[in-house]
Amino acid sequence: MAPGGRQAARGGVRVALAGLTTRGRSFLAAGIAAGVCAYVLGQEDLLRVGLLLAALPLLCAVAVHRTRHRVTSSRRLTPARVPTGGEARVHLRVDNVARLPTGLLMLQDRVPYVLGPRPRFVLDRIEPGGRREVSYRVRSDLRGRYPLGPLELRLADPFGMCELTRSFAAHDMLTVVPQVEPLPPVRLGRGAQGLGDGRQRSMAVGGEDDVLPRGYRYGDDLRRVHWRSTARYGELMVRREEQPQRARCTVLLDTRRTAYRGAGPGSAFEWSVSGAASVLTHMLQRGFSVRLLTDTGTQVPGEGTAVFGGAGAETAEAAGLLMDTLAVIGHSEGDALSAAQDVLRGSDEGLLVAFLGALDEEQARIVARMRHRTGGALAFLPEDTADGEDEEDPSEGSAGTAPGAERALREAGWTVVRAPRGAPMASVWQQADRERTGVAGGGDR
């Protein structure tokens, strides 16, 4: 045997002996004592008893040690992405790929404390080639990404002589995304591009079949041959459709730590994150191309790109990217919104929806200038009153916001809505529509 093989064998023996329980150690000690007494007294029958007592725990240890390397496990999450307060079910599967049945199995899955206590299960013996499945539920009121696993498996023989623990390396990730509220389909005024109508309005004047000839390619439909262009260029030309220009929406999320007070699920920052998720989802469902922008200038899905709304798999994947980003987004250490302004300075017109924290007059002027390149601008100011403190005068804007900040935004053309603490996003969304249109009744369109 090679040196490495001998070392592995010795290590396996030590592991097996270390797994002996109190009962197993007692049997082994009794067997050794009986063997010694049999040698001293010359009793062959007592020697046989001693050998049996000592061999039983050793055989159990070897069997359990061999079995633990022939037990596999797998984990499945349904679903792998849940909103805050939602539940996910974790399915565990244990397979016995050995030729011998297992003993008693005890399972313990490692989960973060925010998801609840560690689940534990006890399984009876698994026949050769058999399997067992168990499941448990997890939930969290805090968004984030939480690892599940690794799974710890304790094996025991039927006589209780030996117990060994095996820790599997595989683990899975549960993503808890912000709560998304369904929003009513409002127009938000005539200035907001394409809220339901923009795709039709952005068509070329000639309609969907506007003539943009190109050279014929193999496989093109001959019914699209444009004979006038063919005669003009002297080669076969076909019509191609002009893709309609999609309405755009940028959601600006202010993450500055100095702009918010308090923490936890009921804080103003968490309300803003949930509101941003709701608006992004709502706009995607209405066919907008959307992007998420933070005060640091970070863009999701990336610089110069956007997520296109629709019902395709790519849209669902990109929407999942936005939700995954919002699941782990935290406070920034900056104190200015100038980086976001630099990004918007070079962007095309579209709807801008901003979730802002406390603003001083300087930051209010920066936000006011963001309006110049947009087709419509909405600002939500969540009231951030700490527990035990009196709320500020509503006429002064959200808590911590300079008295003239809200007025500066309105004068620049922003529609500003103050959101009371814990207000449903749907009602705030409708209030934004009423304030923008000046219609007291508001309502869906």
Side-chain angles (χ1 to χ4, degrees):
M1 179 182 294
R6 289 195 296 269
Q7 292 179 0
R10 288 195 295 268
V13 172
R14 287 196 296 268
V15 171
L17 294 179
L20 289 176
T21 62
T22 302
R23 179 184 300 178
R25 295 175 186 273
S26 299
F27 267 68
L28 182 60
I32 295 175
V36 173
C37 293
Y39 176 77
V40 173
L41 301 176
Q43 298 289 331
E44 295 184 0
D45 294 337
L46 184 59
L47 179 61
R48 297 189 185 95
V49 173
L51 291 176
L52 177 62
L53 292 176
L56 182 60
L58 295 178
L59 291 176
C60 291
V62 172
V64 172
H65 184 263
R66 290 176 60 87
T67 302
R68 76 167 188 160
H69 294 291
R70 297 183 177 272
V71 177
T72 62
S73 72
S74 61
R75 184 188 297 102
R76 177 169 54 90
L77 301 180
T78 53
R81 184 186 293 116
V82 296
T84 54
E87 290 187 346
R89 183 168 290 275
V90 183
H91 302 268
L92 300 175
R93 173 177 166 177
V94 179
D95 294 85
N96 180 19
V97 296
R99 297 181 179 179
L100 297 175
T102 67
L104 191 67
L105 301 180
M106 289 163 282
L107 306 180
Q108 176 178 277
D109 207 9
R110 186 175 300 176
V111 300
Y113 72 95
V114 296
L115 300 181
R118 290 187 177 182
R120 295 179 174 88
F121 305 94
V122 178
L123 303 180
D124 293 333
R125 62 187 295 273
I126 304 178
E127 64 279 3
R131 69 183 183 185
R132 297 290 186 272
E133 293 185 3
V134 294
S135 64
Y136 63 94
R137 293 179 297 178
V138 292
R139 68 182 302 273
S140 174
D141 293 327
L142 300 175
R143 56 185 176 82
R145 288 172 58 84
Y146 301 103
L148 300 177
L151 177 66
E152 294 181 355
L153 177 65
R154 296 179 61 190
L155 300 95
D157 65 281
F159 301 103
M161 299 288 180
C162 182
E163 287 184 358
L164 291 179
T165 300
R166 178 183 178 184
S167 180
F168 296 90
H171 67 277
D172 293 273
M173 196 69 66
L174 175 67
T175 303
V176 182
V177 301
Q179 190 73 37
V180 175
E181 297 185 35
L183 302 181
V186 299
R187 288 186 182 276
L188 294 174
R190 294 185 300 272
Q193 283 191 2
L195 290 181
D197 304 323
R199 284 172 292 177
Q200 288 77 10
R201 289 201 305 267
S202 62
M203 291 287 188
V205 177
E208 293 188 11
D209 273 347
D210 186 37
V211 178
L212 291 174
R214 61 169 174 80
Y216 175 83
R217 299 171 186 168
Y218 179 77
D220 285 339
D221 191 350
L222 293 178
R223 291 175 297 180
R224 302 199 61 81
V225 173
H226 191 252
W227 298 109
R228 183 180 302 177
S229 299
T230 298
R232 178 181 178 182
Y233 293 104
E235 60 177 316
L236 199 60
M237 306 291 290
V238 296
R239 298 190 302 267
R240 60 180 177 183
E241 296 181 359
E242 178 181 302
Q243 296 296 325
Q245 181 182 0
R246 289 181 177 269
R248 295 170 296 277
C249 177
T250 299
V251 176
L252 171 62
L253 178 60
D254 183 5
T255 64
R256 296 171 299 148
R257 186 181 301 275
T258 57
Y260 297 94
R261 292 185 296 180
S267 64
F269 178 67
E270 294 299 325
W271 185 93
S272 296
V273 174
S274 177
S278 301
V279 172
L280 287 169
T281 302
H282 177 71
M283 290 303 180
L284 279 174
Q285 292 173 349
R286 302 197 64 186
F288 276 68
S289 63
V290 302
R291 64 172 172 172
L292 174 66
L293 176 64
T294 67
D295 58 290
T296 61
T298 303
Q299 303 179 63
V300 179
E303 184 176 357
T305 60
V307 179
F308 292 99
E314 294 183 358
T315 299
E317 181 179 354
L321 173 62
L322 291 171
M323 294 300 105
D324 290 345
T325 301
L326 290 174
V328 297
I329 198 168
H331 287 292
S332 66
E333 300 302 329
D335 56 1
L337 295 165
S338 55
Q341 182 195 8
D342 294 338
V343 174
L344 293 172
R345 184 181 291 119
S347 62
D348 297 330
E349 291 187 357
L351 178 64
L352 175 60
V353 181
F355 291 86
L356 304 172
L359 297 175
D360 55 26
E361 294 184 359
E362 179 183 356
Q363 299 308 312
R365 288 192 294 269
I366 293 176
V367 176
R369 289 193 292 269
M370 297 179 186
R371 172 68 176 85
H372 299 161
R373 298 282 297 181
T374 65
L378 309 176
F380 295 100
L381 301 176
E383 295 180 352
D384 195 2
T385 304
D387 294 336
E389 296 181 2
D390 296 333
E391 295 187 1
E392 296 182 4
D393 188 346
S395 62
E396 296 182 356
S398 65
T401 298
E406 182 177 338
R407 182 172 58 255
L409 295 183
R410 293 184 184 276
E411 291 176 353
W414 283 79
T415 298
V416 182
V417 178
R418 285 182 283 105
R421 189 171 188 178
M425 185 61 204
S427 62
V428 179
W429 188 250
Q430 287 181 316
Q431 180 183 351
D433 174 54
R434 291 193 296 267
E435 292 195 10
R436 186 176 182 84
T437 59
V439 180
D444 295 356
R445 293 173 173 81

